[in-house]
Amino acid sequence: MPVLPGAEPYRHEGGPVGVLLCHGFTGSPQSLRPWAEYLARRHLTVSLPLLPGHGTRWQDMQLTGWPDWYAEVDRELRVLRERCTHVFVFGLSMGGALALRLAAKHGDAVTGIVVVNPANKVHGLAAHALPVARHLVPSTRGIVSDIAKEGAEEVGYDRVPLHAAHSLRSFLRRVDGELPQVTQPLLALRSTRDHVVPAADPARVLSRVSSTDVTEILLEQSYHVATLDHDADRIFEESHAFVARLAPESAPGEGHDHEEGTAVGG
């Protein structure tokens, strides 16, 4: 299946400090593309993969589950580690959970983590019905484009495939159990009005990680997809400052000119 316009993965070969960005459930790299390009302009090496089953049609996602999504970001992290002295992992929503698991599993190979509205649990009574409902109903209404900014839209699915939602539920339970293994510096940004991930989720993350260098920033003007919303610039700036503090060599040297990154065809 062709990739939806704007949903292509993105990579940029920059300096010795790398950033891996993980998009959310039923979303696509488009939701993080401005963030990735901001980091690329600051001479960082950037990888923004398209998760399996995403960015085409929701039916394709029915055939994938959390091991597929995690394997993709795990592979990208290993590629970055081969060429970078420091690697940071950023994530939005489920991408935040992916980032946290990478940190838990890879230890010192991850220098720091930035999460925006990280998901920790599939909520509501419907979540308990997923094991059965997924065999009776293929999908339910979508969750993309929870954005306050007028005219901004997220490229993703207008339906949630229930087999994938069931897998997401299993994954988030697994990650919750692994949060105490997260020890790296952590920057968490949370929208005060989020119609997808409740405030209890990022609060749970912060209460369970073992990190001692933790910063939480509230985003007052944005909904769930804050990376495309009114607070996007603040997310970009705060995350870059976080990287610069922990990896001073991320600052470009003399004569280090910017080169455009590339969208990688799916």
Side-chain angles (χ1 to χ4, degrees):
M1 287 296 297
V3 173
L4 294 170
E8 304 87 1
Y10 172 87
R11 293 185 181 89
H12 172 77
E13 296 293 328
V17 176
V19 179
L20 169 61
L21 296 104
C22 309
H23 70 75
F25 182 73
T26 72
S28 75
Q30 178 263 354
S31 62
L32 302 182
R33 181 68 174 266
W35 196 3
E37 292 177 341
Y38 177 96
L39 298 168
R41 288 194 298 272
R42 281 145 188 85
H43 312 287
L44 299 176
T45 291
V46 179
S47 175
L48 171 53
L50 173 64
L51 299 180
H54 291 71
T56 54
R57 56 177 193 154
W58 70 261
Q59 291 89 343
D60 294 334
M61 198 174 169
Q62 286 282 53
L63 306 176
T64 67
W66 76 259
D68 305 300
W69 313 328
Y70 180 75
E72 180 69 17
V73 295
D74 185 81
R75 184 183 67 81
E76 290 293 325
L77 175 62
R78 293 174 190 275
V79 170
L80 284 173
R81 281 294 302 166
E82 288 178 359
R83 72 171 306 276
C84 295
T85 57
H86 291 280
V87 177
F88 293 78
V89 186
F90 296 0
L92 167 68
S93 195
M94 179 188 78
L98 289 169
L100 289 162
R101 184 163 208 255
L102 287 171
K105 292 297 184 184
H106 286 271
D108 291 344
V110 174
T111 301
I113 320 148
V114 178
V115 293
V116 179
N117 297 323
N120 177 258
K121 184 179 180 181
V122 175
H123 294 268
L125 292 174
H128 299 287
L130 277 173
V132 174
R134 66 194 176 106
H135 297 293
L136 305 174
V137 182
S139 67
T140 187
R141 63 183 179 85
I143 56 173
V144 297
S145 288
D146 185 36
I147 304 171
K149 187 176 182 180
E150 188 174 352
E153 290 190 12
E154 180 184 13
V155 174
Y157 297 149
D158 59 2
R159 304 294 296 174
V160 172
L162 293 192
H163 281 304
H166 178 66
S167 185
L168 172 65
R169 184 180 182 225
S170 300
F171 176 63
L172 294 179
R173 283 177 163 178
R174 181 181 296 262
V175 174
D176 186 70
E178 295 168 345
L179 287 176
Q181 299 172 39
V182 175
T183 60
Q184 298 90 335
L186 171 63
L187 171 62
L189 302 106
R190 176 174 68 82
S191 298
T192 55
R193 294 176 294 168
D194 186 330
H195 306 100
V196 177
V197 169
D201 282 27
R204 171 81 174 176
V205 168
L206 294 182
S207 72
R208 287 186 54 75
V209 297
S210 298
S211 308
T212 56
D213 181 347
V214 177
T215 303
E216 183 181 29
I217 294 174
L218 298 183
L219 307 173
E220 306 279 356
Q221 306 298 321
S222 300
Y223 294 164
H224 182 62
V225 191
T227 49
L228 297 177
D229 218 324
H230 294 294
D231 292 297
D233 286 346
R234 186 173 188 198
I235 295 170
F236 305 165
E237 292 163 5
E238 294 283 0
S239 65
H240 182 249
F242 177 78
V243 170
R245 174 169 68 85
L246 295 170
E249 64 270 38
S250 62
E254 299 228 355
H256 190 143
D257 295 325
H258 167 64
E259 295 178 3
E260 288 299 322
T262 57
V264 182

